[in-house]
Amino acid sequence: MPQTSVVLSSFLGPSCSGQAQPGMGERGGGAGGASGDLIFQEGRLISGSLEALMEHLVPRVDYYPDAKLKSFSAKIVQLLKEWTEAFPYDFQDEKAMAELKAITHRVTQCDEENGTVKRAIAQMTQSLLLSLAARSQFQELREKLRPPAVDKGPVLKTKPPAAQKDILGVCCDPLVLAQQLTHIELDRVSSIHPEDLMQIISHMDSLDNHRCRGDLTKTYSLEAYDNWFNCLSMLVATEVCRVVKKKHRTRMLEFFIDVARECFNIGNFNSMMAIISGMNLSPVARLKKTWSKVKTAKFDVLEHHMDPSSNFCNYRTALQGATQRSQMANSSREKIVIPVFNLFVKDIYFLHKIHTNHLPNGHINFKKFWEISRQIHEFMTWTQVECPFEKDKKIQSYLLTAPIYSEEALFIASFESEGPENHMEKDSWKTLRTTLLNRA
């Protein structure tokens, strides 16, 4: 997917620029061609029927997409190489692998003289097998590390001792914590591959059906990254609600506001959104006495950036600015762009839903797929940035392993810090206490 445009443009040859190759006649005609023709706009394929595309790509006795058969074979290998690198899971079953071997065997016969194509195919096959093995091992490791199901009962029954370690006891510098969050983000997002992102489309299309184990396997990297966002939000809420003294809670809120601001400056929008979401959870948001002591000007600016109105227009403007900075960057620090992943997923999904796969004339809507490819290519470029910040194992260990309260436990801690103020809160608090007594 990242190099699809390169593959197609080279594979289809100079005809992509509107010029017919020798011996090709008028195949793949222009915008004024018949309904079966391929239509190009500014050198880019925008629509065409599947039959016309296959006819354009498949050689016959009197027609080759390239003047020389050997050159054509090399392009077949290039296409297969890009395919196996970007979507190795397409070849995980025996049938697909057998078809790949059959194709490469026929291509190899066209290059028996110098063996260049044969060597390229051998290297491609070895890389594919290594990639499949590595991802299988990674998935097995993640399965072993998968956290057990959280008990619906409260994690908290009494207020924790004041001496219990919190995030400020591990790291009191907002910039350093933002850098360590960026480390975790880039580490987690690097396990996402183009094929995982394409699964968004097929996975969302099947939401009406019961999800099978195969679907879970193919989207596990996405779920793992999405779970990290939720865990960070809950960690922020836990760190605030577990503090006994109002003065210390105020300090904790202001600390996380500063961390979120540093994340924004770095270009780590996903952690920034997770922190804001954590502070907006009801158990935290209802602490009015605590919030009254917080200098909220910085928080208001952050919420403005993440204002959901006009389809998150403010966030998208900031993301565009970070993207432009990344493209012109002279250092690794300036290259960092970590978008809000949930919004990125929604963009891909709605792009798929709004635009049809086929145009009214029956042509494949390549313009839609070019745009999906562009967005995924851009995302994959961001995931390949090497984190320039020094890794702090102690801080990262805390962020990844610190106890996180359930939603019920958060409310208990919140009500113990600041009692219920209205009838709805009083009813909720009464229900929680009754639940606790029954369990005891």
Side-chain angles (χ1 to χ4, degrees), residues 217-427:
T217 299
K218 288 189 176 181
T219 62
Y220 186 74
S221 293
L222 301 180
E223 290 185 349
Y225 190 49
D226 187 52
N227 287 341
W228 154 246
F229 179 97
N230 296 331
C231 286
L232 180 55
S233 294
M234 294 297 283
L235 175 63
V236 170
T238 300
E239 292 290 325
V240 173
C241 289
R242 69 199 285 251
V243 177
V244 177
K245 296 182 179 180
K246 181 172 63 177
K247 180 180 179 180
H248 292 164
R249 283 198 303 276
T250 301
R251 184 187 174 199
M252 187 69 74
L253 281 171
E254 291 180 339
F255 174 72
F256 277 118
I257 291 171
D258 288 337
V259 173
R261 187 178 63 165
E262 294 295 350
C263 286
F264 177 84
N265 294 335
I266 290 172
N268 182 358
F269 298 105
N270 200 56
S271 288
M272 172 190 172
M273 177 65 98
I275 293 171
I276 293 174
S277 298
M279 289 190 286
N280 279 328
L281 289 175
S282 295
V284 180
R286 64 165 298 277
L287 298 172
K288 295 180 181 179
K289 295 178 181 178
T290 304
W291 279 102
S292 67
K293 301 296 182 179
V294 175
K295 299 176 182 178
T296 58
K298 296 176 185 177
F299 187 68
D300 293 340
V301 172
L302 294 174
E303 287 207 305
H304 172 75
H305 286 307
M306 293 301 171
D307 184 355
S309 61
S310 301
N311 194 22
F312 289 90
C313 178
N314 296 336
Y315 158 70
R316 295 182 188 282
T317 300
L319 179 64
Q320 184 178 12
T323 302
Q324 292 173 350
R325 180 188 65 184
S326 177
Q327 292 170 347
M328 302 175 64
N330 295 318
S331 67
S332 297
R333 294 191 176 209
E334 296 175 330
K335 290 182 180 179
I336 297 173
V337 180
I338 306 174
V340 178
F341 190 64
N342 285 335
L343 292 180
F344 174 78
V345 168
K346 289 178 182 177
D347 286 347
I348 293 292
Y349 176 64
F350 283 112
L351 181 62
H352 167 62
K353 276 297 183 183
I354 292 173
H355 303 283
T356 59
N357 291 344
H358 294 85
L359 299 175
N361 62 1
H363 282 195
I364 297 173
N365 185 4
F366 280 94
K367 193 171 183 180
K368 165 186 173 176
F369 296 110
W370 280 119
E371 181 58 23
I372 293 176
S373 174
R374 184 193 68 78
Q375 292 198 23
I376 292 180
H377 180 205
E378 188 172 53
F379 181 85
M380 295 310 300
T381 300
W382 296 333
T383 67
Q384 294 164 12
V385 173
E386 185 175 349
C387 190
F389 309 122
E390 184 177 352
K391 189 173 183 179
D392 190 313
K393 293 183 179 180
K394 182 180 179 182
I395 296 175
Q396 289 197 23
S397 175
Y398 185 89
L399 290 170
L400 295 171
T401 63
I404 297 176
Y405 291 171
S406 66
E407 184 178 1
E408 190 178 50
L410 285 174
F411 271 111
I412 293 172
S414 178
F415 284 133
E416 287 185 347
S417 296
E418 295 186 19
E421 294 188 350
N422 53 52
H423 292 296
M424 185 178 295
E425 287 191 346
K426 289 178 181 178
D427 290 341

Side-chain angles (χ1 to χ4, degrees), residues 195-207:
E195 59 192 4
D196 297 313
L197 297 172
M198 288 304 296
Q199 284 296 324
I200 295 170
I201 295 173
S202 59
H203 179 64
M204 295 273 189
D205 279 343
S206 62
L207 279 181

Side-chain angles (χ1 to χ4, degrees), residues 10 43 48 90 96 117 125 149 158 182 186 191 196 315 353-354 373 375 403 406 410 434:
S10 60
D90 286 354
V117 170
T125 304
T158 58
T182 303
L186 290 174
S191 66
D196 297 313
Y315 158 70
K353 276 297 183 183
I354 292 173
S373 174
Q375 292 198 23
S406 66
L410 285 174
T434 302

